[in-house]
Amino acid sequence: MARHLSDSQKQTIAKHLALMHKVVIFSHQSPDGDAVGSSLALMHILQNAGKQAVVVLPDALPSYYAYLEGFESIVYYSTDKEKAELEIVAADHFCFLDFNHLDRMGTSLSAFVQANMKPSWMIDHHQQPTDISEVLFSDVTFTSTSEMVYHFVIQNNWGSCINLPAMNAMYTGIVTDTASFRFPVVTAETHKIVAEMMERGLKHAPIHQAIYDTQTENRLRLTGYALSEKLVVNHANHYAYIALSEEELLRFQHQPGDTEGLVNQALSMQGIQIAAFFRQTSDLTAVKCSFRSKGDWDVNVFARSHWNGGGHRNAAGGKLVGSLEEAIHLFNELMQ
Ligand SMILES: [Mn+2]
């Protein structure tokens, strides 16, 4: 772990930069604000450095990220596989942002990338990275991959390539991964970076508004339903969870991102140390899970050990093949 790139890493990066013409930037499944923010930021910066760059994501993003410049240029493997594969084959360099196992892109995209591997950079702040890239910039002490992209660019002296679209994207990643600067991982340096971006013209208020004040009526009602009807609390063992079936999600015409943050609401209750959110996948074969904790309770280990997932100490996710009832049963059993 290092907050700084080594001299040999910088030399490798400079060598790559001299050779690269066409770059594909990847992030993880169910992309969030940091996934899209770090990816679009690096795309803009590489484009300003005279490179062709495109972002390929495994599946759809919440539509409220449409304010980000370059949003419309993103290629989604789930709906535009052919175009994504053409970009992958034609590229001479890959960047992997905000994830550290190729599996996090899904089995099929991961296999295609591996079969067409190029020199690559991996920039990420999750635990236990795989060492598959020529340049691995991995450090769990950063708030977000977006903050790491800023350091990566400054440490390689391409600061002049950071334009307003790149700053909007990086700020989005920092804000969403820190729940608006509230998590312990936020440092004075995080605020200094934001201050520097504001001096260079970043306007923060419209970004908060676009992310947090543009909920649809359906999303707000789904939140209300989940909290009043579906929240299960075990006060004795200090945990709470919400589980939603596909039928319930359809009733509220669920869109990607609509259930984001529900798990944090469960955790916000007095006396609750661990919160979970479960939702059935649309094909009904599996359950997606999110876990949050307060203090030392390590949900990364919990998600890795039992839920085919991982993440950070206080925020992690996973996926279980099986029914919603099976997931809830397992969770209750593990929490005893
Ligand atoms: Mn992140």
Side-chain angles (χ1 to χ4, degrees):
M1 255 191 300
R3 287 184 73 89
H4 294 277
L5 293 159
S6 67
D7 286 341
S8 85
Q9 282 181 313
K10 284 187 217 168
Q11 282 164 15
T12 308
I13 292 163
K15 213 180 336 162
H16 283 163
L17 198 66
L19 293 171
M20 71 168 64
H21 296 287
K22 201 166 166 30
V23 184
V24 176
I25 300 166
F26 300 94
S27 196
H28 56 78
Q29 267 181 327
S30 304
D32 56 12
D34 190 31
V36 66
S38 58
S39 298
L40 285 177
L42 190 60
M43 181 191 86
H44 289 300
I45 289 161
L46 288 173
Q47 286 175 349
N48 289 339
K51 312 297 177 185
Q52 288 180 50
V54 63
V55 174
V56 171
L57 295 177
D59 48 25
L61 267 169
S63 59
Y64 49 80
Y65 290 119
Y67 66 91
L68 289 168
E69 291 94 338
F71 179 88
E72 68 297 331
S73 73
I74 297 171
V75 180
Y76 299 96
Y77 185 75
S78 57
T79 50
D80 211 349
K81 186 173 167 196
E82 207 171 307
K83 187 165 183 212
E85 292 186 347
L86 284 174
E87 296 284 2
I88 290 165
V89 171
D92 52 31
H93 192 92
F94 291 159
C95 299
F96 304 115
L97 301 190
D98 202 40
F99 69 111
N100 60 28
H101 282 259
L102 289 187
D103 290 356
R104 288 281 287 121
M105 296 194 292
T107 322
S108 159
L109 177 55
S110 164
F112 193 81
V113 167
Q114 261 167 302
N116 291 278
M117 201 58 184
K118 315 285 157 81
S120 66
W121 304 335
M122 178 176 275
I123 305 175
D124 179 62
H125 67 138
H126 297 86
Q127 308 199 20
Q128 291 152 285
T130 49
D131 199 358
I132 51 162
S133 289
E134 283 76 2
V135 176
L136 172 65
F137 185 32
S138 166
D139 190 332
V140 299
T141 70
F142 281 104
T143 58
S144 54
T145 302
S146 296
E147 186 176 343
M148 295 181 79
V149 166
Y150 190 90
H151 283 276
F152 188 89
V153 170
I154 296 294
Q155 287 176 32
N156 285 295
N157 300 315
W158 327 323
S160 61
C161 293
I162 298 177
N163 58 4
L164 197 54
M167 293 194 283
N168 285 336
M170 286 186 283
Y171 187 76
T172 295
I174 294 171
V175 164
T176 52
D177 258 22
T178 61
S180 301
F181 303 94
R182 52 175 286 191
F183 292 150
V185 69
V186 172
T187 61
E189 200 149 328
T190 314
H191 287 287
K192 277 181 205 157
I193 287 171
V194 171
E196 275 167 29
M197 294 202 288
M198 289 177 78
E199 279 166 6
R200 294 176 65 168
L202 173 79
K203 300 269 184 285
H204 66 284
I207 296 178
H208 288 262
Q209 212 175 337
I211 301 170
Y212 297 111
D213 297 340
T214 54
Q215 297 202 55
T216 61
E217 182 180 342
N218 273 326
R219 183 180 178 189
L220 209 54
R221 291 193 187 281
L222 174 61
T223 303
Y225 169 74
L227 293 177
S228 81
E229 308 292 326
K230 302 295 295 187
L231 178 68
V232 179
V233 184
N234 185 320
H235 288 286
N237 292 355
H238 309 286
Y239 69 89
Y241 66 88
I242 296 167
L244 293 174
S245 68
E246 174 68 4
E247 185 274 322
E248 289 168 315
L249 293 166
L250 286 174
R251 205 188 308 164
F252 293 92
Q253 294 167 38
H254 162 263
Q255 298 295 313
D258 277 3
T259 54
E260 214 156 286
L262 273 180
V263 66
N264 299 310
Q265 305 234 32
L267 186 71
S268 72
M269 202 187 324
Q270 194 177 39
I272 295 303
Q273 294 295 326
I274 298 119
F277 172 69
F278 303 97
R279 52 161 291 205
Q280 228 173 0
T281 57
S282 54
D283 61 7
L284 312 183
T285 62
V287 178
K288 282 190 173 183
C289 336
S290 304
F291 304 104
R292 298 291 184 273
S293 67
K294 290 173 188 158
D296 289 338
W297 218 95
D298 193 333
V299 288
N300 171 51
V301 170
F302 184 67
R304 274 178 199 274
S305 311
H306 306 286
W307 305 90
N308 311 305
H312 308 283
R313 190 177 66 179
N314 297 123
K319 193 174 179 179
L320 196 76
V321 175
S323 70
L324 202 52
E325 290 68 30
E326 283 168 318
I328 294 167
H329 182 76
L330 174 64
F331 182 65
N332 279 317
E333 214 160 65
L334 292 168
M335 296 309 296
Q336 298 311 312

